[in-house]
Amino acid sequence: MRILFLGDVMGRSGRTAVTERLPGLRAEWRLDAVIVNGENASSGRGLNAAQARGLLDAGADVITLGDHALDQKDMMQAVEKEPRILRPINYAKQAPGRGWRVFEIGGKRLLVAQVLGQVFMSRTYDDPFSAIEPVLTAHPLGRAVDAILVDMHCEATSEKMAMGHFCDRRASVVVGTHTHVPTADAMILPGGTAYQTDAGMCGDYDSVIGMEKAEPLRRFVTGMTRERFTPAGGAATLCGLFVETDDATGLAQTVAQVRIGGRLSQSAPA
């Protein structure tokens, strides 16, 4: 399978970049599946139902969320009604929606799951490792499913890397989200799992992790809050990870970072 994962969509700028560019990329790269993290698509906090529909209509097969999964009120209902939207597995047990699902896409079975890390996060979540273990055990790669992608949404690079090694040989892709900066460590782990610590964001990088610079700078320099954070509205860089898997095993054969448009240096699969 040829899989594209796009990192945290940040505000209007990120949504525009995805909706304008994704249809062309699907055709040009002959993509079988596209997974988009929509965690910050709605003014930087969560995702609403209308914006989710826009991402799906643009060509996303699955949308993952994160610690702001239910910040937008109508997502409480949307995540129940729309099976293509996933919130983290280890979110509050009473939360609506699901944290993983098997999708039939072009005759292939793709399992997508999302877990939240615990280190440096603002809330206490269940252990992500014990949360993902039964899912991987019940769906052996290359037999029960053709490919598995795990979105590890957390702060600590160490926790993300630990999840990559924990899933090695049992998942096609483990990719980190949440910190909005693409890391330079896209690779295939020893067991055959494609990995990147953070895919980066789809947003304006002339910013402080996607937010207009003035208010974050004021808080850092003075320790005082004056205004709410506002997503930066300049040209966005579409950031993500491209992976091609082996049909027999489901393990990764090719991995490449994606950075298109905006201010960052450009990168795309050969």
Side-chain angles (χ1 to χ4, degrees):
M1 296 185 72
R2 297 168 71 88
I3 300 169
L4 175 64
F5 179 87
L6 293 178
D8 306 49
V9 178
M10 184 67 182
R12 182 188 300 273
S13 177
R15 298 197 310 269
T16 299
V18 173
T19 55
E20 289 182 351
R21 293 181 179 272
L22 183 53
L25 292 179
R26 284 209 73 134
E28 180 183 351
W29 295 350
R30 304 190 313 278
L31 297 171
D32 297 302
V34 176
I35 301 93
V36 176
N37 183 286
E39 164 74 353
N40 302 120
S42 184
S43 300
R45 295 186 67 87
L47 175 69
N48 68 37
Q51 292 159 353
R53 172 54 56 190
L55 295 175
L56 293 168
D57 289 346
D61 295 295
V62 185
I63 297 173
T64 57
L65 297 172
D67 54 312
H68 294 297
L70 305 177
D71 281 13
Q72 300 298 316
K73 292 182 180 179
D74 66 352
M75 188 50 62
M76 297 281 287
Q77 291 76 42
V79 78
E80 285 281 358
K81 295 178 181 179
E82 175 51 79
R84 293 174 291 176
I85 303 175
L86 300 177
R87 49 89 170 159
I89 292 176
N90 52 335
Y91 212 67
K93 290 182 171 59
Q94 68 272 25
R98 295 186 58 179
W100 67 272
R101 195 179 295 271
V102 176
F103 299 90
E104 294 279 347
I105 301 175
K108 300 290 182 68
R109 298 156 299 172
L110 170 66
L111 190 156
V112 180
Q114 185 184 54
V115 285
L116 279 172
Q118 294 178 311
V119 180
F120 305 135
M121 299 295 278
S122 59
R123 305 174 187 172
T124 301
Y125 304 106
D126 291 342
D127 168 31
F129 298 91
S130 59
I132 195 66
E133 175 63 35
V135 178
L136 297 175
T137 300
H139 300 86
L141 183 62
R143 289 181 286 161
V145 292
D146 297 291
I148 297 173
L149 182 141
V150 178
D151 174 354
M152 179 59 166
H153 195 81
C154 70
E155 288 278 359
T157 54
S158 57
E159 193 174 14
K160 293 178 184 181
M161 296 189 87
M163 180 60 72
H165 292 295
F166 184 77
C167 296
D168 194 18
R169 294 183 297 277
R170 300 191 291 168
S172 310
V173 189
V174 176
V175 58
T177 53
H178 183 65
T179 55
H180 292 197
V181 178
T183 55
D185 61 342
M187 59 180 160
I188 297 176
L189 298 176
T193 295
Y195 173 82
Q196 186 181 6
T197 296
D198 200 290
M201 69 174 175
C202 296
D204 178 8
Y205 279 84
D206 184 17
S207 65
V208 176
I209 61 169
M211 294 296 181
E212 290 285 358
K213 294 173 284 190
E215 182 61 17
L217 282 171
R218 180 184 296 112
R219 296 188 192 186
F220 280 122
V221 172
T222 70
M224 295 183 289
T225 299
R226 181 181 297 176
E227 301 170 356
R228 297 182 64 180
F229 288 152
T230 303
T237 304
L238 202 72
C239 288
L241 189 68
F242 170 87
V243 178
E244 187 168 9
T245 65
D246 177 72
D247 284 340
T249 65
L251 295 170
Q253 290 184 316
T254 303
V255 61
Q257 291 187 230
V258 174
R259 296 186 302 273
I260 299 174
R263 301 180 64 85
L264 299 191
S265 61
Q266 306 293 284
S267 178

